[in-house]
Amino acid sequence: MKKLCLSAPLPFVGQKRNFARAFIETLKHFDDATTFVDLFGGSGLLSHITKHCRPDATVVYNDFDDYRRRIEEIPQTNALLAQIRALASGVKRHQRITGDIRESIFECIAAAEKSGYVDYITLSSSLMFSMKYKLSLEEMRKEALYNNVRTTDYPLCPDYLEGLTITNCDYKELFARYKDVPGVVFLVDPPYLSTDVTTYSMYWRLSDYLDVLTVLNGHSFVYFTSNKSSIVELCEWMDKNRTLGDPFEGCVKSEFNAHMNYNSRYTDIMLYKRHDTPHTSSAA
């Protein structure tokens, strides 16, 4: 691995570039570890940094979102962006793309999809505003386009994932595979609660988020979260109220699928539990 990257080479929701230097310092606390397992590999940035700093260790990158394919297709992505850049040349930077130019861009994307591969996440970053990503041409057609097209090609990154043990599986399966390996450290960066997870290759609920905590017990780990999830606060509260148990245990649950409009749906949930208390009736 020749060059250390402090950010992922292609856009990815939740990449840890802001933590890169702090993460490097954190790795020094695990200088005797022999194996690092990146359970939620994402952009591979944590795995990349770990292997660069610890070339002697085994670093397992769980490429659940197929980021590796996106890197391999950078030449095709650059070629498509070059065509779009030319089409949008008459639109001022950061201004909305409309009319015939917009349609021409969609035609260009459709042609690229038929003949090969389209990295819609990278494409979204050039045609929409920051952190707004779509995964298909159909989804992009519903959005406003803007001339935020990258002005230069993305650099090729043949060494970015060099030396990593790459897998693609559910994090629980990967954890089970390595949980008893001596000297293992788990890198745990799950999708955050209260954030958009549509670009991840998984369905993510509160229970899924809490399930992740089970891998921390009894193991060395580096765990990432945010104040949006309040997960640290929740764990502190649970520690202070250990005897509470599940207040919904034994409840009867009713659900109702509701529709706000044609593209917005939600599920109403009602929980109830009868608590029988002894009582005496008065005489007539």
Side-chain angles (χ1 to χ4, degrees):
M1 191 171 289
K2 299 178 181 178
K3 177 185 176 183
L4 173 63
C5 297
L6 297 179
S7 63
L10 294 172
F12 190 87
V13 177
Q15 63 160 293
K16 287 296 170 289
R17 61 186 177 189
N18 294 330
F19 276 102
R21 297 191 182 281
F23 179 63
I24 291 172
E25 292 301 311
T26 298
L27 287 174
K28 296 177 182 178
H29 295 282
F30 301 101
D31 57 359
D32 59 342
T34 57
T35 304
F36 294 85
V37 181
D38 192 353
L39 293 176
F40 300 87
S43 69
L45 183 60
L46 295 178
S47 291
H48 166 84
I49 291 173
T50 302
K51 189 62 180 179
H52 191 279
C53 295
R54 290 293 312 277
D56 58 303
T58 297
V59 180
V60 182
Y61 166 48
N62 189 14
D63 186 19
F64 195 72
D65 297 285
D66 207 15
Y67 194 81
R68 173 177 41 174
R69 173 76 187 279
R70 294 178 58 197
I71 291 177
E72 292 171 352
E73 300 290 353
I74 285 177
Q76 286 74 15
T77 300
N78 283 337
L80 177 56
L81 286 174
Q83 295 178 54
I84 293 174
R85 192 180 301 119
L87 290 171
S89 61
V91 180
K92 291 183 179 180
R93 293 289 295 170
H94 311 306
Q95 295 300 304
R96 188 166 178 173
I97 300 172
T98 59
D100 292 340
I101 298 177
R102 172 185 164 93
E103 288 307 310
S104 295
I105 289 174
F106 285 140
E107 290 173 6
C108 185
I109 297 171
E113 189 170 56
K114 287 181 180 179
S115 62
Y117 174 84
V118 174
D119 180 352
Y120 279 101
I121 294 179
T122 299
L123 205 60
S124 294
S125 69
S126 277
L127 291 172
M128 299 176 190
F129 283 106
S130 179
M131 303 302 291
K132 191 167 188 177
Y133 302 120
K134 296 301 174 183
L135 299 178
S136 69
L137 182 57
E138 181 181 2
E139 291 178 1
M140 290 191 71
R141 283 188 176 276
K142 298 175 183 177
E143 302 294 328
L145 302 188
Y146 295 86
N147 184 13
N148 300 322
V149 183
R150 182 182 171 95
T151 56
T152 59
D153 285 348
Y154 284 96
L156 303 183
C157 305
D159 302 329
Y160 179 67
L161 301 178
E162 183 179 311
L164 302 179
T165 299
I166 301 177
T167 187
N168 182 309
C169 63
D170 186 275
Y171 83 90
K172 294 179 181 178
E173 177 186 335
L174 188 59
F175 171 71
R177 196 183 306 167
Y178 285 92
K179 64 184 179 67
D180 297 320
V181 173
V184 67
V185 177
F186 290 103
L187 309 180
V188 189
D189 181 27
Y192 292 170
L193 284 180
S194 305
T195 57
D196 184 8
V197 296
T198 55
T199 59
Y200 292 99
S201 301
M202 60 178 69
Y203 181 66
W204 203 247
R205 301 169 301 176
L206 173 61
S207 60
D208 298 310
Y209 193 78
L210 295 176
D211 280 345
V212 175
L213 300 180
T214 63
V215 311
L216 307 182
N217 192 31
H219 293 95
S220 297
F221 63 84
V222 181
Y223 176 77
F224 295 87
T225 185
S226 75
N227 62 354
K228 279 189 175 183
S229 70
S230 300
I231 193 67
V232 175
E233 181 182 354
L234 172 62
C235 289
E236 290 173 347
W237 186 92
M238 291 172 61
D239 187 56
K240 294 176 183 177
N241 296 273
R242 297 189 179 191
T243 60
L244 176 65
D246 180 3
F248 300 119
E249 183 178 0
C251 285
V252 178
K253 181 169 71 172
S254 299
E255 295 185 351
F256 176 72
N257 293 323
H259 302 258
M260 293 180 65
N261 53 48
Y262 74 95
N263 64 354
S264 180
R265 303 180 181 184
Y266 62 96
T267 299
D268 275 334
I269 298 177
M270 177 178 67
L271 293 159
Y272 76 88
K273 178 171 62 177
R274 175 174 172 171
H275 182 66
D276 292 319
T277 54
H279 66 278
T280 57
S281 59
S282 58

